[in-house]
């Protein structure tokens, strides 16, 4: 077989580990040939490829990002996009495609599968918001990066007696904020799943200051206040119709200063969470995903996404994986609220 591989959506640590595992096992165990498509769905859409053999994947296990490049190209929104992909796959003699990505990338993979393309999906997102899998690779690394930043913020906050806000990624799901906030000893954690009460947040801030310690607030970029409490600006849309977020931390800082009289500053981690070398957990998880993905492609088990359930590797339908986002349950958030204030 000749198998294509692409990485779509936001980059994250562990992508190269998946590519490496797919190619190493695919070539050495099954004797398959591989071709890499550049820059997400733009590769098969425009026929842009690169060689992908064992030599090409040597030394990439610890590297962040992706040797294939990525993009947020959405072929479904381009007239004739699906037909162009099918034509280019045929022109490059590709029998099957392994798509590594999150909700948007795998959503396109599902639609392509429905239209006759042989596709296997691999779950990648630092947000950990894909249904069907307990964890996505990239999440553990992002949490550890955020946790280290929070650890550092504690000392400078206490030195200057300031409230410090750490804004992390998380459009619709607050998994990074929840895990990093709990691990870093944050005094308030704000997530998209539960609109926050700014009055209550300020009470937590003042309560923390009364202990002679300074408050650390961790906020997901998609967190928002209860209706009518604060004015937020809407951003422009990307190719998948998502609003470009960022800025809730700064809005929060100004509101805290106004309501409490205490100095507040914001640190936005942004793409720092996506960069750099993956943790051991993500290297192993990404490698296992890659091994399972090439097994599925070899067996012709298409329309599936490889997934982690407990400690075992399983396969779930792409329809299940993309049906709905995996958000933070009320019970999990309640665990963190014990430590607020």
């Amino acid at each position: 077989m000749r198998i294509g591989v692409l990485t779509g959506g936001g980059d994250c640590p562990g992508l190269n580990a998946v590519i490496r595992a797919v190619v190493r096992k695919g070539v050495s165990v099954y004797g398959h040939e591989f071709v890499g498509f550049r820059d997400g769905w733009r590769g098969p859409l425009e026929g842009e490829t690169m060689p992908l053999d064992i030599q090409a994947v040597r030394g990439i296990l610890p590297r962040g990002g992706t040797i294939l490049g990525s993009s947020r190209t959405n072929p479904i929104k381009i007239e004739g996009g699906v037909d162009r992909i099918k034509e280019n796959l045929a022109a490059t003699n590709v029998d099957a495609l392994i798509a590594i990505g999150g909700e948007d990338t795998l959503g396109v993979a599902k639609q392509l599968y429905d239209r006759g393309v042989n596709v296997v999906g691999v779950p990648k997102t630092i947000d950990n918001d894909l249904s069907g899998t307990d964890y996505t690779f990239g999440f553990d690394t992002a949490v550890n990066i955020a946790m280290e930043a929070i650890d550092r913020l504690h000392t400078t906050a206490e030195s200057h007696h300031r409230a410090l806000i750490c804004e992390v990624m998380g459009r619709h799901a607050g998994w990074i904020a929840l895990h990093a906030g709990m691990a870093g000893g944050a005094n308030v954690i704000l997530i998209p799943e539960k609109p926050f009460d700014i009055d209550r947040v300020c009470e937590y801030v003042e309560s923390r200051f009364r202990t002679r310690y300074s408050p650390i607030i961790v906020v997901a970029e998609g967190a928002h206040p209860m209706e009518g409490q604060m004015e937020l600006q809407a951003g422009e849309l990307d190719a998948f119709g998502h609003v470009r977020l960022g800025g809730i931390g700064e809005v929060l800082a100004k509101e805290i200063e106004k309501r409490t009289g205490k100095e507040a500053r914001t640190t936005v981690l942004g793409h720092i969470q996506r960069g750099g070398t993956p943790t051991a957990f993500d290297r192993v998880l990404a490698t296992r995903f890659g091994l399972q993905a090439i097994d599925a492609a070899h067996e012709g088990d298409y329309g599936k996404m490889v997934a982690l359930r407990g400690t075992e590797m399983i396969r779930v339908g792409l329809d299940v994986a993309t049906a709905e986002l995996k958000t933070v349950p009320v019970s999990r958030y309640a665990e963190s609220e014990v430590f607020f204030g």
Side-chain angles (χ1 to χ4, degrees), residues 41 74 76 101-114 130 240 318 321-322:
W41 288 114
N74 184 358
I76 307 301
E103 172 204 7
D104 294 326
T105 300
L106 297 185
V108 173
K110 165 67 170 60
Q111 294 191 53
L112 288 172
Y113 173 70
D114 290 342
L130 270 174
F240 288 89
L318 283 169
T322 58

mmCIF file of all heavy atoms in Angstrom, residues 41 74 76 101-114 130 240 318 321-322:
data_model
loop_
_atom_site.group_PDB
_atom_site.id
_atom_site.type_symbol
_atom_site.label_atom_id
_atom_site.label_comp_id
_atom_site.label_asym_id
_atom_site.label_seq_id
_atom_site.Cartn_x
_atom_site.Cartn_y
_atom_site.Cartn_z
ATOM 1 N N TRP A 41 -4.646 20.003 5.458
ATOM 2 C CA TRP A 41 -5.486 19.646 4.304
ATOM 3 C C TRP A 41 -5.076 20.401 3.040
ATOM 4 O O TRP A 41 -5.509 20.066 1.941
ATOM 5 C CB TRP A 41 -6.953 19.900 4.625
ATOM 6 C CG TRP A 41 -7.518 18.915 5.599
ATOM 7 C CD1 TRP A 41 -7.964 19.154 6.865
ATOM 8 C CD2 TRP A 41 -7.687 17.500 5.393
ATOM 9 N NE1 TRP A 41 -8.386 17.989 7.468
ATOM 10 C CE2 TRP A 41 -8.228 16.960 6.582
ATOM 11 C CE3 TRP A 41 -7.413 16.644 4.322
ATOM 12 C CZ2 TRP A 41 -8.516 15.607 6.727
ATOM 13 C CZ3 TRP A 41 -7.706 15.284 4.464
ATOM 14 C CH2 TRP A 41 -8.248 14.792 5.656
ATOM 15 N N ASN A 74 -9.613 24.469 5.390
ATOM 16 C CA ASN A 74 -10.845 23.680 5.451
ATOM 17 C C ASN A 74 -11.328 23.393 4.027
ATOM 18 O O ASN A 74 -11.977 24.238 3.401
ATOM 19 C CB ASN A 74 -11.923 24.431 6.230
ATOM 20 C CG ASN A 74 -13.197 23.604 6.411
ATOM 21 O OD1 ASN A 74 -13.287 22.480 5.914
ATOM 22 N ND2 ASN A 74 -14.172 24.151 7.108
ATOM 23 N N ILE A 76 -13.657 21.611 2.932
ATOM 24 C CA ILE A 76 -15.121 21.529 2.809
ATOM 25 C C ILE A 76 -15.690 22.892 2.415
ATOM 26 O O ILE A 76 -16.730 22.978 1.749
ATOM 27 C CB ILE A 76 -15.753 21.040 4.136
ATOM 28 C CG1 ILE A 76 -15.102 19.736 4.601
ATOM 29 C CG2 ILE A 76 -17.254 20.867 3.982
ATOM 30 C CD1 ILE A 76 -15.200 18.591 3.632
ATOM 31 N N GLY A 101 -5.048 15.023 13.866
ATOM 32 C CA GLY A 101 -5.575 16.347 14.166
ATOM 33 C C GLY A 101 -6.650 16.333 15.225
ATOM 34 O O GLY A 101 -6.953 15.295 15.820
ATOM 35 N N GLY A 102 -7.238 17.494 15.425
ATOM 36 C CA GLY A 102 -8.280 17.650 16.426
ATOM 37 C C GLY A 102 -9.665 17.624 15.812
ATOM 38 O O GLY A 102 -9.887 17.051 14.738
ATOM 39 N N GLU A 103 -10.594 18.297 16.481
ATOM 40 C CA GLU A 103 -12.002 18.281 16.087
ATOM 41 C C GLU A 103 -12.211 18.675 14.630
ATOM 42 O O GLU A 103 -12.929 18.001 13.878
ATOM 43 C CB GLU A 103 -12.783 19.231 17.007
ATOM 44 C CG GLU A 103 -14.219 19.452 16.599
ATOM 45 C CD GLU A 103 -14.753 20.775 17.124
ATOM 46 O OE1 GLU A 103 -13.970 21.578 17.682
ATOM 47 O OE2 GLU A 103 -15.963 20.998 16.954
ATOM 48 N N ASP A 104 -11.586 19.768 14.183
ATOM 49 C CA ASP A 104 -11.798 20.257 12.820
ATOM 50 C C ASP A 104 -11.167 19.335 11.784
ATOM 51 O O ASP A 104 -11.795 18.982 10.787
ATOM 52 C CB ASP A 104 -11.233 21.671 12.681
ATOM 53 C CG ASP A 104 -11.997 22.675 13.537
ATOM 54 O OD1 ASP A 104 -13.220 22.505 13.696
ATOM 55 O OD2 ASP A 104 -11.368 23.618 14.045
ATOM 56 N N THR A 105 -9.912 18.937 12.018
ATOM 57 C CA THR A 105 -9.208 18.056 11.078
ATOM 58 C C THR A 105 -9.931 16.725 10.932
ATOM 59 O O THR A 105 -10.132 16.224 9.818
ATOM 60 C CB THR A 105 -7.766 17.815 11.555
ATOM 61 O OG1 THR A 105 -7.087 19.072 11.638
ATOM 62 C CG2 THR A 105 -7.013 16.903 10.608
ATOM 63 N N LEU A 106 -10.363 16.153 12.048
ATOM 64 C CA LEU A 106 -11.044 14.862 11.995
ATOM 65 C C LEU A 106 -12.478 15.001 11.503
ATOM 66 O O LEU A 106 -13.056 14.044 10.982
ATOM 67 C CB LEU A 106 -10.995 14.187 13.369
ATOM 68 C CG LEU A 106 -9.577 13.845 13.869
ATOM 69 C CD1 LEU A 106 -9.641 13.064 15.170
ATOM 70 C CD2 LEU A 106 -8.796 13.057 12.818
ATOM 71 N N GLY A 107 -13.056 16.190 11.671
ATOM 72 C CA GLY A 107 -14.373 16.443 11.088
ATOM 73 C C GLY A 107 -14.312 16.389 9.573
ATOM 74 O O GLY A 107 -15.202 15.817 8.910
ATOM 75 N N VAL A 108 -13.259 16.950 8.987
ATOM 76 C CA VAL A 108 -13.047 16.855 7.540
ATOM 77 C C VAL A 108 -12.787 15.408 7.153
ATOM 78 O O VAL A 108 -13.310 14.922 6.141
ATOM 79 C CB VAL A 108 -11.865 17.754 7.108
ATOM 80 C CG1 VAL A 108 -11.531 17.527 5.633
ATOM 81 C CG2 VAL A 108 -12.194 19.228 7.346
ATOM 82 N N ALA A 109 -11.974 14.692 7.950
ATOM 83 C CA ALA A 109 -11.682 13.282 7.671
ATOM 84 C C ALA A 109 -12.970 12.460 7.623
ATOM 85 O O ALA A 109 -13.139 11.588 6.758
ATOM 86 C CB ALA A 109 -10.736 12.727 8.729
ATOM 87 N N LYS A 110 -13.893 12.736 8.551
ATOM 88 C CA LYS A 110 -15.179 12.033 8.574
ATOM 89 C C LYS A 110 -15.954 12.275 7.290
ATOM 90 O O LYS A 110 -16.513 11.339 6.699
ATOM 91 C CB LYS A 110 -15.978 12.519 9.793
ATOM 92 C CG LYS A 110 -17.466 12.179 9.802
ATOM 93 C CD LYS A 110 -17.721 10.685 9.941
ATOM 94 C CE LYS A 110 -19.186 10.359 10.186
ATOM 95 N NZ LYS A 110 -20.103 10.792 9.134
ATOM 96 N N GLN A 111 -16.003 13.528 6.830
ATOM 97 C CA GLN A 111 -16.750 13.830 5.613
ATOM 98 C C GLN A 111 -16.095 13.203 4.386
ATOM 99 O O GLN A 111 -16.784 12.746 3.468
ATOM 100 C CB GLN A 111 -16.876 15.346 5.442
ATOM 101 C CG GLN A 111 -17.730 15.980 6.543
ATOM 102 C CD GLN A 111 -18.091 17.420 6.243
ATOM 103 O OE1 GLN A 111 -18.620 17.722 5.169
ATOM 104 N NE2 GLN A 111 -17.815 18.322 7.172
ATOM 105 N N LEU A 112 -14.771 13.156 4.369
ATOM 106 C CA LEU A 112 -14.076 12.502 3.264
ATOM 107 C C LEU A 112 -14.339 11.003 3.263
ATOM 108 O O LEU A 112 -14.552 10.393 2.204
ATOM 109 C CB LEU A 112 -12.570 12.773 3.357
ATOM 110 C CG LEU A 112 -12.113 14.187 3.017
ATOM 111 C CD1 LEU A 112 -10.639 14.353 3.350
ATOM 112 C CD2 LEU A 112 -12.358 14.497 1.550
ATOM 113 N N TYR A 113 -14.351 10.402 4.445
ATOM 114 C CA TYR A 113 -14.653 8.966 4.549
ATOM 115 C C TYR A 113 -16.063 8.680 4.030
ATOM 116 O O TYR A 113 -16.282 7.691 3.310
ATOM 117 C CB TYR A 113 -14.508 8.505 5.998
ATOM 118 C CG TYR A 113 -14.974 7.081 6.214
ATOM 119 C CD1 TYR A 113 -14.255 6.005 5.702
ATOM 120 C CD2 TYR A 113 -16.147 6.809 6.916
ATOM 121 C CE1 TYR A 113 -14.690 4.700 5.881
ATOM 122 C CE2 TYR A 113 -16.585 5.514 7.099
ATOM 123 C CZ TYR A 113 -15.857 4.465 6.577
ATOM 124 O OH TYR A 113 -16.300 3.176 6.750
ATOM 125 N N ASP A 114 -16.995 9.555 4.375
ATOM 126 C CA ASP A 114 -18.376 9.383 3.907
ATOM 127 C C ASP A 114 -18.475 9.459 2.385
ATOM 128 O O ASP A 114 -19.441 8.976 1.801
ATOM 129 C CB ASP A 114 -19.290 10.453 4.525
ATOM 130 C CG ASP A 114 -19.507 10.240 6.016
ATOM 131 O OD1 ASP A 114 -19.257 9.122 6.498
ATOM 132 O OD2 ASP A 114 -19.916 11.199 6.709
ATOM 133 N N LEU A 130 -11.509 16.007 22.612
ATOM 134 C CA LEU A 130 -12.083 15.076 21.646
ATOM 135 C C LEU A 130 -12.808 13.937 22.346
ATOM 136 O O LEU A 130 -12.245 13.283 23.227
ATOM 137 C CB LEU A 130 -10.995 14.499 20.735
ATOM 138 C CG LEU A 130 -10.696 15.255 19.444
ATOM 139 C CD1 LEU A 130 -9.508 14.626 18.749
ATOM 140 C CD2 LEU A 130 -11.898 15.245 18.518
ATOM 141 N N PHE A 240 -12.783 27.631 10.010
ATOM 142 C CA PHE A 240 -13.758 26.668 10.518
ATOM 143 C C PHE A 240 -14.893 27.351 11.269
ATOM 144 O O PHE A 240 -15.695 26.692 11.925
ATOM 145 C CB PHE A 240 -13.069 25.631 11.415
ATOM 146 C CG PHE A 240 -12.223 24.648 10.649
ATOM 147 C CD1 PHE A 240 -10.891 24.918 10.387
ATOM 148 C CD2 PHE A 240 -12.763 23.475 10.164
ATOM 149 C CE1 PHE A 240 -10.109 24.031 9.679
ATOM 150 C CE2 PHE A 240 -11.992 22.579 9.444
ATOM 151 C CZ PHE A 240 -10.665 22.851 9.198
ATOM 152 N N LEU A 318 -15.106 7.681 13.519
ATOM 153 C CA LEU A 318 -14.880 9.118 13.399
ATOM 154 C C LEU A 318 -16.138 9.906 13.731
ATOM 155 O O LEU A 318 -16.068 11.030 14.220
ATOM 156 C CB LEU A 318 -14.412 9.462 11.978
ATOM 157 C CG LEU A 318 -12.952 9.140 11.643
ATOM 158 C CD1 LEU A 318 -12.708 9.289 10.148
ATOM 159 C CD2 LEU A 318 -11.996 10.024 12.434
ATOM 160 N N ALA A 321 -16.090 10.209 17.461
ATOM 161 C CA ALA A 321 -15.005 11.090 17.905
ATOM 162 C C ALA A 321 -15.327 12.564 17.698
ATOM 163 O O ALA A 321 -14.865 13.424 18.447
ATOM 164 C CB ALA A 321 -13.720 10.740 17.163
ATOM 165 N N THR A 322 -16.126 12.873 16.667
ATOM 166 C CA THR A 322 -16.387 14.274 16.332
ATOM 167 C C THR A 322 -17.828 14.695 16.622
ATOM 168 O O THR A 322 -18.224 15.811 16.276
ATOM 169 C CB THR A 322 -16.089 14.524 14.839
ATOM 170 O OG1 THR A 322 -16.896 13.639 14.034
ATOM 171 C CG2 THR A 322 -14.615 14.266 14.533
#
